[in-house]
Amino acid sequence: MKKTILSTLPLLALAACASAETEAPIAVRIANASPAVSVTARGETTPVGTANADAADDPAIWRNAANPAQSLIVGTDKKAGLYVYGLDGKTRSFLDAGRVNNVDLRDGVTIGGKPGILVVASDRNDVANAKLALFSLDPATAKLTARGKVDGGKGEAYGVCLYRASDAVYAFIVLKDGTIHQVALDASGATATGRTVRTMKLGTQAEGCAVDDRTGILYVAEEDVGLWRFDARANGSTAPVKIAAADGKNIVMDAEGVAIAPVGDRDGYVIVSSQGDNAYAVYRLTDDSYVGRFRIIDGAIGGAEETDGIDLMLGDFGPAYPGGIFVAQDGHNAAAAQNFKLVAWDDIAKALNLTR
């Protein structure tokens, strides 16, 4: 969800005027928040096609193991459809899919009888009836092919993330009211099918989510409340456990996109977009402890502000991103339409002094 930023009035006057009913200006929010280190982007995508609107939203990364520099990024224009970008930021393809909000993918999924790259987007073309829109991604042509839609429940589709378990591939679809449905997906036949296996609930508006396939843990951002984790297993508990509050310190409302950096068998980090002050908060997976915060500031390439969706993948992505890549939606891309900024994980790790 995009916020309007006010920054033209003197800080003290704005601070005095701020109330519980009025969102504090960006200068006040930054002053009250925990310190954040700075990094700069090494790349950016071409802007989405919808201009003068809050349109770009969420990215998903596919790594080309055979040729990492030829990896791809899928990004949503939530007013129009799905883009596929190369790591050079250039648009490789666009598919008119209508109002798709968030996106995730998994490689090696059986699609139409053979292994492929499954891409799933939260489809809110009908705001009263959520859908999961399924696609296959051809890595050679960078084109998406629609594979059908499955029911995501009553309400407006918002967030989505995938979970590859031993028994199935699941999608978690986060509805705007905080309802979360876990849907078992089957794309092996001519038409994709899905079956809701259980439902979880947060109290207010939620969107960003990510699943750690190693540990079977689902992470969800409740925008004005904070970051939660759930047991992602289909037979697991539906009770949420709070990791961090959106209290204006480490996470400044809104808590938005969520991404995971897995390290080893169980360790690593979960990152959440602190949209309220243009930052990203980092927590350790093993004990939920706070690690630090960073911002993407202007450099040779512009910074990122008001970030909705994020994605992160470690590993070799070629000379520009040898240790991994972090992709963040930029909600204020100067005079152009919104786009996505590409940051080297090595730069983030160095800035935060992450040793592992």
Side-chain angles (χ1 to χ4, degrees):
M1 182 174 68
K2 187 177 179 181
K3 293 288 188 181
T4 300
I5 290 182
L6 305 175
S7 59
T8 57
L9 298 178
L11 175 60
L12 292 178
L14 280 171
C17 294
S19 68
E21 292 77 32
T22 304
E23 183 183 349
I26 185 66
V28 173
R29 285 178 266 143
I30 290 176
N32 291 336
S34 302
V37 299
S38 297
V39 299
T40 56
R42 297 192 184 186
E44 65 179 332
T45 68
T46 53
V48 298
T50 303
N52 302 315
D54 180 25
D57 195 283
D58 191 46
I61 302 164
W62 173 75
R63 180 176 177 271
N64 186 331
N67 189 352
Q70 296 302 310
S71 299
L72 300 170
I73 299 165
V74 180
T76 61
D77 178 336
K78 60 189 178 186
K79 311 290 187 182
L82 291 163
Y83 285 88
V84 181
Y85 305 99
L87 294 191
D88 60 2
K90 295 180 179 178
T91 299
R92 297 285 303 277
S93 70
F94 172 75
L95 182 66
D96 180 357
R99 300 178 71 235
V100 288
N101 199 56
N102 280 196
V103 65
D104 201 4
L105 62 81
R106 287 292 187 274
D107 201 350
V109 177
T110 301
I111 306 172
K114 59 183 180 180
I117 305 165
L118 178 66
V119 177
V120 180
S122 55
D123 185 306
R124 58 177 182 176
N125 285 291
D126 179 353
V127 296
N129 296 284
K131 299 289 184 183
L132 291 162
L134 278 64
F135 309 87
S136 57
L137 173 62
D138 184 336
T141 64
K143 290 185 177 181
L144 293 160
T145 300
R147 297 290 177 179
K149 298 181 182 183
V150 301
D151 180 45
K154 295 293 183 182
E156 184 175 353
Y158 226 41
V160 72
C161 50
L162 299 184
Y163 169 40
R164 191 205 305 270
S166 58
D167 60 334
V169 174
Y170 296 95
F172 290 93
I173 182 165
V174 183
L175 306 187
K176 196 170 185 178
D177 69 355
T179 301
I180 306 163
H181 296 304
Q182 183 171 0
V183 183
L185 300 176
D186 184 355
S188 61
T191 302
T193 61
R195 176 177 57 89
T196 298
V197 296
R198 64 176 185 152
T199 297
M200 296 160 282
K201 187 72 171 69
L202 293 172
T204 61
Q205 185 167 308
E207 182 177 5
C209 67
V211 182
D212 188 341
D213 288 349
R214 304 168 308 163
T215 60
I217 296 176
L218 164 69
Y219 298 86
V220 184
E222 187 177 3
E223 294 188 359
D224 291 343
V225 178
L227 182 65
W228 301 85
R229 59 179 165 86
F230 291 87
D231 189 334
R233 296 173 298 176
N235 61 352
S237 170
T238 59
V241 176
K242 197 171 193 177
I243 295 174
D247 59 2
K249 299 299 183 181
N250 300 336
I251 301 175
V252 180
M253 297 183 292
D254 293 340
E256 287 283 347
V258 180
I260 293 170
V263 178
D265 293 333
R266 299 188 65 84
D267 206 356
Y269 309 94
V270 57
I271 296 92
V272 59
S273 169
S274 173
Q275 190 187 69
D277 72 330
N278 304 332
Y280 311 88
V282 183
Y283 300 86
R284 189 173 290 279
L285 292 175
T286 48
D287 59 8
D288 300 335
S289 61
Y290 171 69
V291 174
R293 288 163 25 100
F294 66 95
R295 287 193 179 92
I296 306 171
I297 63 170
D298 290 346
I301 294 168
E305 298 173 301
E306 301 180 2
T307 294
D308 278 322
I310 59 176
D311 198 14
L312 169 62
M313 186 174 288
L314 305 190
D316 178 17
F317 281 84
Y321 310 97
I325 187 169
F326 177 79
V327 182
Q329 181 259 7
D330 182 9
H332 186 69
N333 186 32
Q338 296 177 349
N339 72 346
F340 299 91
K341 297 300 192 285
L342 282 58
V343 181
W345 173 250
D346 289 348
D347 294 343
I348 297 169
K350 181 178 179 181
L352 288 172
N353 196 29
L354 303 180
T355 58
R356 58 186 178 92

